[in-house]
Amino acid sequence: MSEPLSDGPSELVYVVGTPGSNIVKIGRTINIGKRMGELQRMSPVPLEVLWTHPGGHELETNLHRQFSALRTHGEWFAFGSNPVVSIQWAVRNQSWLMPKVNIKKKRRLKPPRRVPPPTIGTSPLTDEQRSSLASQSDEVWERLNQQLRGIEDLSERYEAVQRVRETIAEMVRQGYREVAAGLKSEGWTWREVGELMGGVSAQRAHQIAQEPKPRARAQPSSE
């Protein structure tokens, strides 16, 4: 359903398609009625305006880039589910601003069990800080899941999921490395660090802190 137009911006971004079909056109215009007439004359099937939103070139370009993997031709895109829901979510969360992650394959570490930390002047997170971090994490995961669900080809989606899994594993490993080294510099013993990191030995905690950072993967040469 189209959103009601206001007297604000004269230009708007629209989604046009056949009701029940997941193939839609994402475009922009200053006169939706005239534009619909032009599109209908070129279409063998009835078309309807499924959604509109105030915006111009910038919003249209961001949506085209966001759903580039679904492009069929020109400004037409084939979605795997309801296109309006996906587009509304992208606009509401500005998912095109999600940072790109360099993905490197590393083994995963088991999560640490919770143990009381030694008393060395550290400041634990407040309930408000924990709540804020959890909210931010949920938002990032929702954006990531939306992007993965937008990949139509299942083999490509599987590869993308694997890359995400490898990225998370490397993030955990890097986090453990920085935490272990940081706690030792603050006065913790290796035994105390090991207890915090899932009950590993003092020697293993020391090894984690000393593990080298991953090297950048060499790009294959093209001939």
Side-chain angles (χ1 to χ4, degrees):
M1 179 181 296
S2 302
E3 296 180 355
L5 301 181
S6 65
D7 296 332
S10 59
E11 195 168 27
L12 58 84
V13 172
Y14 63 81
V15 175
V16 167
T18 300
S21 173
N22 289 336
I23 299 177
V24 297
K25 182 182 188 299
I26 303 174
R28 61 188 171 95
T29 183
I30 60 175
N31 188 327
I32 188 63
K34 178 180 178 181
R35 186 57 177 149
M36 275 300 297
E38 296 170 348
L39 293 174
Q40 189 60 73
R41 285 193 294 272
M42 296 183 291
S43 174
V45 296
L47 298 176
E48 289 187 12
V49 179
L50 305 178
W51 180 82
T52 61
H53 191 280
H57 174 74
E58 182 178 0
L59 177 58
E60 179 193 41
T61 299
N62 285 330
L63 288 174
H64 285 180
R65 290 174 178 172
Q66 175 69 24
F67 300 109
S68 59
L70 310 182
R71 189 190 299 269
T72 58
H73 65 280
E75 296 182 338
W76 292 85
F77 300 80
F79 287 76
S81 56
N82 189 316
V84 172
V85 172
S86 297
I87 293 170
Q88 286 178 327
W89 184 92
V91 172
R92 182 171 62 253
N93 295 280
Q94 294 185 319
S95 55
W96 49 83
L97 298 180
M98 181 177 179
K100 303 299 181 182
V101 179
N102 292 325
I103 299 173
K104 301 178 179 64
K105 184 176 182 180
K106 291 293 178 181
R107 69 181 181 85
R108 301 180 67 179
L109 296 176
K110 62 179 180 179
R113 60 182 175 85
R114 294 182 179 272
V115 297
T119 304
I120 56 173
T122 56
S123 300
L125 293 176
T126 64
D127 291 341
E128 181 178 357
Q129 289 172 325
R130 290 193 182 94
S131 177
S132 177
L133 287 173
S135 177
Q136 294 176 35
S137 299
D138 290 344
E139 181 177 355
V140 170
W141 279 114
E142 180 58 29
R143 292 181 182 178
L144 181 58
N145 286 331
Q146 183 69 23
Q147 289 186 336
L148 291 174
R149 289 194 294 267
I151 301 176
E152 294 293 304
D153 186 283
L154 293 181
S155 62
E156 293 181 1
R157 186 186 300 181
Y158 173 80
E159 293 176 358
V161 171
Q162 287 294 99
R163 291 195 296 271
V164 170
R165 179 183 179 184
E166 294 164 2
T167 300
I168 295 173
E170 174 52 33
M171 291 173 61
V172 171
R173 184 168 181 169
Q174 179 178 346
Y176 281 10
R177 180 170 56 244
E178 294 175 352
V179 167
L183 291 177
K184 188 63 174 68
S185 68
E186 292 180 4
W188 292 45
T189 66
W190 287 123
R191 180 184 61 80
E192 291 167 342
V193 174
E195 290 176 353
L196 178 65
M197 304 186 76
V200 302
S201 66
Q203 180 181 8
R204 179 56 187 145
H206 185 221
Q207 290 174 345
I208 291 173
Q210 298 298 321
E211 285 179 349
K213 295 182 179 181
R215 296 180 178 178
R217 181 176 300 176
Q219 297 296 326
S221 59
S222 57
E223 299 181 357

